[in-house]
Every structure is written in structure tokens, then in C-alpha cells.
């Protein structure tokens, strides 16, 4: 897990989270239920950010021959992290490992856990074990603190758009395989396909288009094995109106996202690590968005606000012809 989280932290650094600490050894101290509650805000924010910035207008003509257009730029999705996403508490059934006289034994117990999430403060949380066996005492142990205390989780994604043929264009999001020192590598690939609807409606005063997109993000260890895999899907209807250099745009989007985690849990010092893996789905499924795009010659600057189960803002800059 140390390699996984170190790689994820590289993504955070690219997104502007400086001075992030390695989380791998910390997560190795907690069991799966705790880990899932701890990383849930990250899963939700990361999924929202990946599905942000897929368009900044529904106009599909350009200055190249045959009306083709080209866009090269970066879109930065920034999910908002509410106060409720900075801490958690839960109760679950688990196993407590007790060492007496140098001998470690496992005992079923009810666990009460509370503490900061990945976006909470650095004060460690705690778990209280209440063994099912009446003669064993209840114990409380410290766990881990938050990684970075923040109210916004940004993620920049480069993208390339090309069109339009028969009212259809494509957009590609791509990060080449980036090596992370001795940890492994990360890679991102995604694409969308968009089709103009307004071309079928004569004299319509706005541009209307529909779009479908999928994205995949992965982090691999030094042997090439997957440590973290994220997938995202989006489908939207978008509308825009251009006034000289200003474009007003908006849309309705259905989306989904999913993250697979893999790590090793060490229940107590010297114990054999226990492999842990789980899948979590982002809670955002619909968003409504509205924004503005400014065309200053080839330079395009855009920004929008997105309202959903997890709200966010997007800003982008690129070159269009």
C-alpha cells in the first residue's frame, strides 16, 4: 500500500498539494472498514474531478480547412470538500490481536472507530476494541491522521480535441506512463465522442450537442502490477451561445466512477501482513453545470460551476483554432 499511496500523492502534488506525506505505512495500520471510511472523500472527489471539464461550449466549428477545429489545453476540476467529509465514525466487527507472554492470539471484537479522513486534520484517530470474550479488557488504540486538511481537491488533466467531421468531434485525455522513482508508474487515458444536435434543427438560436466519454487511470508497482485502478464514465447534453468573444455554456451530465484499492494491513508489529483489497464507487451520478468561456484569439479560458452530490468548479486554459 505504501507504493500505492505514494503514487496517489504524486497525483495530489501535480494538483497542487505540496508537502504531502507518505500514507502507505499509516494505512497499513488499519483494517479495511476503517480504510474505506478514511479514503471515501478522496474517491468521491477524484471521480468528480475526472469527469469535469469535458466541454466548454457546444460550438463545433473551427478555423482549419473544412471547418475543422483543434484544441490543446488543460482542464482543472476542483471538487469541494465539506466539513462532514473531514471526519468519520463507525462501528464494525473485526479481530483484535492480543500479545501475552510473547504469544499473539486473535479474538473477535466489536470495533468503534473515529477520526479524520484523508482530508481531515493530522490529529490521529482511534479505534476501541470490545472483545466478545467477557474476560478480555476493552482497549483503545491510536490510528492515523489526515493527509492534507483542505476544502478543495483539484486535479489537472491535459486534453486534446479534434473535429468536426459530419458534426462529430473527439477529445482525448492522456498522461503518458510516468515513472515514480522506485515506486512504479502512473498512467491516464480517456476519450470522448461528441455529436452536434443543433445541425438538425434549422434556425435554432443556440448550439446543442451530446457527448459520451470514458476514462481510466492506473497506478502500477515496479513489477507492473496494478495497485490502484480508477474508471470513469460520463454522458451529457450541452448547450451554448456565443456573443463575440464570450460563450455562455451549460449542461446536464450523468456520470459514474469507481476506484479499486489494494494494500497490506499489518495488525500488530511483527505480524504477517494481511492482503486487503476493496472497490469503492463515487457518489456523484448527476451534475448540472453552467460556465463562461472567453476566446482571446487562439487562447481560450473557461470556468464553470458544477452542482451535484459532490459539487465542484472547473477552470481551463488552452489554445483553439
Amino acid at each position: 500500500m505504501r507504493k500505492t499511496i505514494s503514487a496517489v500523492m504524486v497525483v495530489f502534488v501535480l494538483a497542487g498539494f505540496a508537502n504531502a506525506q507518505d500514507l502507505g505505512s499509516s494505512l497499513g495500520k488499519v483494517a479495511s472498514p476503517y480504510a474505506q471510511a478514511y479514503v471515501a472523500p478522496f474517491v468521491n472527489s477524484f471521480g468528480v474531478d475526472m469527469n469535469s471539464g469535458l466541454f466548454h461550449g457546444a460550438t463545433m466549428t473551427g478555423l482549419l480547412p473544412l471547418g475543422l477545429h483543434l484544441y490543446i489545453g488543460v482542464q482543472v476540476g476542483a471538487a469541494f470538500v465539506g466539513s462532514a467529509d473531514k471526519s468519520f465514525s463507525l462501528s464494525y466487527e473485526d479481530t483484535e490481536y492480543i500479545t501475552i507472554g510473547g504469544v499473539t492470539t486473535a479474538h473477535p471484537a466489536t470495533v468503534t472507530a473515529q477520526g479524520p479522513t484523508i482530508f481531515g486534520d493530522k490529529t490521529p484517530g482511534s479505534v476501541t476494541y470490545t472483545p466478545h470474550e467477557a474476560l478480555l479488557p476493552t482497549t483503545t488504540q491510536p490510528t492515523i491522521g489526515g493527509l492534507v486538511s483542505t476544502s478543495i481537491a483539484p486535479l489537472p488533466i491535459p486534453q486534446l480535441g479534434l473535429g468536426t467531421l459530419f458534426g462529430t468531434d473527439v477529445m482525448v485525455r492522456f498522461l503518458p506512463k510516468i515513472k515514480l522513482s522506485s515506486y512504479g508508474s502512473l498512467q491516464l487515458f480517456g476519450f470522448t465522442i461528441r455529436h452536434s444536435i443543433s445541425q438538425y434543427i434549422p434556425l435554432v438560436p443556440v448550439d446543442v450537442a451530446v457527448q459520451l466519454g470514458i476514462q481510466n487511470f492506473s497506478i502500477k508497482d515496479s513489477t507492473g502490477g496494478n495497485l490502484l485502478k480508477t474508471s470513469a464514465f460520463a454522458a451529457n447534453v450541452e448547450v451554448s451561445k456565443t456573443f463575440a468573444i464570450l460563450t455562455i455554456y451549460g449542461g446536464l451530465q450523468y456520470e459514474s466512477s469507481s476506484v479499486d484499492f489494494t494494500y497490506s494491513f499489518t495488525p500488530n508489529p511483527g505480524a504477517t501482513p494481511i492482503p486487503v483489497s476493496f472497490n469503492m464507487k463515487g457518489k456523484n451520478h448527476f451534475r448540472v453545470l453552467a460556465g463562461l468561456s472567453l476566446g482571446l484569439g487562439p487562447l481560450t479560458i473557461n470556468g464553470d460551476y458544477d452542482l451535484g452530490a459532490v459539487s465542484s468548479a472547473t477552470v481551463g486554459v488552452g489554445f483553439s483554432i
Side-chain angles (χ1 to χ4, degrees), residues 196-226:
S196 171
I197 299 300
S198 52
Q199 67 177 325
Y200 304 115
I201 310 174
L203 304 178
V204 63
V206 295
D207 294 302
V208 183
V210 294
Q211 184 182 48
L212 294 174
I214 58 172
Q215 300 173 79
N216 290 284
F217 175 84
S218 65
I219 298 175
K220 297 180 181 292
D221 61 22
S222 57
T223 66
N226 284 315

Side-chain angles (χ1 to χ4, degrees), residues 3-11 14 177-187 217-222 227:
K3 296 178 181 179
T4 305
I5 298 302
S6 298
V8 173
M9 287 309 101
V10 171
V11 178
L14 292 173
K177 188 175 182 179
I178 300 174
K179 292 186 177 181
L180 307 169
S181 183
S182 60
Y183 294 123
S185 63
L186 63 83
Q187 191 168 19
F217 175 84
S218 65
I219 298 175
K220 297 180 181 292
D221 61 22
S222 57
L227 295 169

Side-chain angles (χ1 to χ4, degrees), residues 40-48 51 230-231 255-259 279-286 309-310:
F42 164 77
V43 172
N44 294 327
S45 299
F46 197 72
V48 168
N51 281 321
T230 301
S231 60
E255 61 190 66
S256 62
S257 61
S258 155
V259 181
N279 171 273
M280 297 188 69
K281 298 184 184 302
K283 67 179 182 180
N284 220 51
H285 295 296
F286 291 95
V310 178

Side-chain angles (χ1 to χ4, degrees), residues 67-157:
L68 296 177
H69 69 86
L70 175 68
Y71 174 84
I72 301 175
V74 176
Q75 297 289 319
V76 182
F80 298 121
V81 180
S83 58
D85 293 320
K86 296 184 179 182
S87 63
F88 71 93
S89 62
L90 75 159
S91 179
Y92 56 93
E93 299 300 311
D94 204 351
T95 300
E96 181 181 16
Y97 294 84
I98 300 176
T99 301
I100 300 177
V103 178
T104 301
T105 54
H107 302 270
T110 298
V111 181
T112 302
Q114 60 183 1
T117 69
I118 192 171
F119 293 138
D121 61 45
K122 295 183 180 180
T123 302
S126 64
V127 290
T128 298
Y129 290 91
T130 304
H132 294 176
E133 300 167 59
L135 297 179
L136 295 176
T138 295
T139 60
T140 299
Q141 302 175 9
T143 54
I144 54 179
L147 179 69
V148 55
S149 181
T150 183
S151 295
I152 187 170
L155 178 69
I157 302 180

Side-chain angles (χ1 to χ4, degrees), residues 36-59:
Q36 292 184 49
Y38 184 81
V39 301
F42 164 77
V43 172
N44 294 327
S45 299
F46 197 72
V48 168
D49 288 345
M50 285 189 68
N51 281 321
S52 295
L54 298 179
F55 66 93
H56 51 273
T59 304

